[in-house]
Amino acid sequence: MTASRLARAAVAGAAVLALACAAARGTTSKPRGELWAFTGPWDSLSNASVVANARRLDAAVTGWIALDTVTYQPVLLYPDPLGNGERPRRMALVTSWYRDRFHPATIRALGADAARLAATAGATARLAKSRGYRGLVLDFEAHEPADLSVLVAVARAFADSARASGVGPVSMAIPATDTVGYPARPLLQSVDALVVMLYDQHWAGSEPGPIADRVWARTWLGVRVREAGADRLVAGLPTYGYSWRTGKQGETVGFGEARRAVQRAGTRLTRDETSGWLRGSAGGATVWVSDARVVARLAADARALGVTRVALWRLGLEDPALWKALSR
């Protein structure tokens, strides 16, 4: 999963908020459940974080399997930072992101050729099995509503091949707000769970703002709960932020990097009263970033909606206090 998300608001804001509140009222609080985390295996800070915090995690998505845009075959891009122990459960991301962007054309091509799809899905399952992965997260983004039947078919082929090889569960990452292009119920006919990406309310190409305002995240997760039920959802929560300069795309920043940047500028991060996110300025840039309080509150809201599995995107960017906050 990348940071950039293009949201299509399929439900009016007031109606969506009503659905979320109704879901929250009708659900009792549940135990902590499972804590998942995604790594950026190209990043030494991410690798160090997953090694240091492995015992705190139930599952870590440490593998990165890309689909080649020419051969459509799976390519394992990075070495895994974890050994093949029992905890956490190691999983792999299977993504159409290659080099610098998502390639929906790859998924469409696979969906149009049953033999090629079977070969690619089988090769992916064998690769995951050979590297000791015990689950997959499919990450096929930037699709249009017209691609839904292709997404369902391709996801089913990957999931069936993985299960036949003893690799599972198989989940799919979906944008929180795109209920038209990524509707929950049809996709859950193919996969075991959906990772709802509750981030990029504001993104690299937008105006500055919180990446996941608490009301925004609670609202859209509530919509997904109403669609599919809480038991088959994973709440994907942001550990990062962005630094925006006028006229330029925002750049991803972690908590530590954001704090150091504002300190160098002689300023500090302050709490935005409306969203709860940290914000500041540094050398002409506007910074918004997550911290332990933000993530802990988002996790508590997910549990209140009945979603007991939480996934962090991504390790290496988090506030170090996050681990203690989530263990409470």
Side-chain angles (χ1 to χ4, degrees):
M1 288 180 286
T2 64
S4 177
R5 307 286 181 267
L6 299 177
R8 304 180 192 89
V11 185
V16 169
L17 183 58
L19 289 175
C21 293
R25 288 195 300 269
T27 308
T28 59
S29 180
K30 291 187 177 183
R32 167 184 168 275
E34 290 190 351
L35 179 60
W36 296 14
F38 289 83
T39 67
W42 60 88
D43 179 4
S44 61
L45 291 177
S46 187
N47 291 340
S49 179
V50 73
V51 170
N53 297 293
R55 63 183 179 82
R56 306 174 189 266
L57 298 170
D58 297 287
V61 185
T62 53
W64 189 286
I65 300 174
L67 300 179
D68 185 270
T69 56
V70 177
T71 67
Y72 308 118
Q73 288 298 294
V75 180
L76 189 64
L77 294 182
Y78 305 98
D80 195 299
L82 285 181
N84 198 11
E86 286 300 313
R87 187 179 176 93
R89 182 171 68 246
R90 290 165 54 254
M91 300 195 292
L93 187 75
V94 179
T95 182
S96 58
W97 176 276
Y98 199 67
R99 294 194 175 92
D100 62 348
R101 62 187 175 88
F102 284 101
H103 292 268
T106 297
I107 305 304
R108 295 179 189 126
L110 289 173
D113 187 331
R116 177 175 283 173
L117 174 57
T120 297
T124 302
R126 290 190 297 273
L127 177 58
K129 179 72 171 179
S130 71
R131 298 306 176 101
Y133 292 115
R134 296 163 56 199
L136 301 179
V137 178
L138 308 180
D139 185 30
F140 305 148
E141 299 183 42
H143 282 273
E144 301 295 329
D147 294 327
L148 179 58
S149 61
V150 168
L151 278 175
V152 170
V154 171
R156 181 179 295 116
F158 277 90
D160 287 349
S161 292
R163 293 171 189 135
S165 296
V167 177
V170 178
S171 304
M172 175 179 275
I174 61 169
T177 62
D178 190 356
T179 58
V180 178
Y182 293 83
R185 288 179 184 173
L187 294 171
L188 284 171
Q189 296 173 10
S190 299
V191 298
D192 301 306
L194 297 173
V195 181
V196 183
M197 296 184 288
L198 295 167
Y199 32 84
D200 281 16
Q201 175 188 6
H202 293 86
W203 64 97
S206 77
E207 71 280 2
I211 285 71
D213 175 275
R214 189 176 181 184
V215 173
W216 177 88
R218 185 171 61 234
T219 297
W220 284 105
L221 184 57
V223 169
R224 294 303 194 167
V225 169
R226 295 284 296 196
E227 270 192 293
D231 290 345
R232 297 184 69 184
L233 299 181
V234 182
L237 306 181
T239 65
Y240 64 95
Y242 287 112
S243 174
W244 286 272
R245 292 183 180 276
T246 303
K248 295 183 178 181
Q249 288 271 318
E251 296 181 356
T252 302
V253 293
F255 172 80
E257 182 182 359
R259 185 169 58 178
R260 289 189 296 272
V262 298
Q263 287 174 344
R264 287 194 298 268
T267 62
R268 63 189 181 91
L269 295 171
T270 60
R271 186 82 55 188
D272 177 63
E273 292 184 4
T274 302
S275 67
W277 279 65
L278 294 179
R279 61 181 301 183
S281 59
T286 300
V287 178
W288 289 75
V289 71
S290 173
D291 72 342
R293 184 188 299 186
V294 167
V295 178
R297 286 178 172 177
L298 293 175
D301 289 344
R303 289 195 298 272
L305 289 167
V307 179
T308 59
R309 287 178 289 182
V310 167
L312 306 176
W313 175 268
R314 65 177 171 80
L315 295 190
L317 302 176
E318 76 273 12
D319 175 1
L322 172 64
W323 302 103
K324 185 176 182 179
L326 289 180
S327 68
R328 292 170 185 158

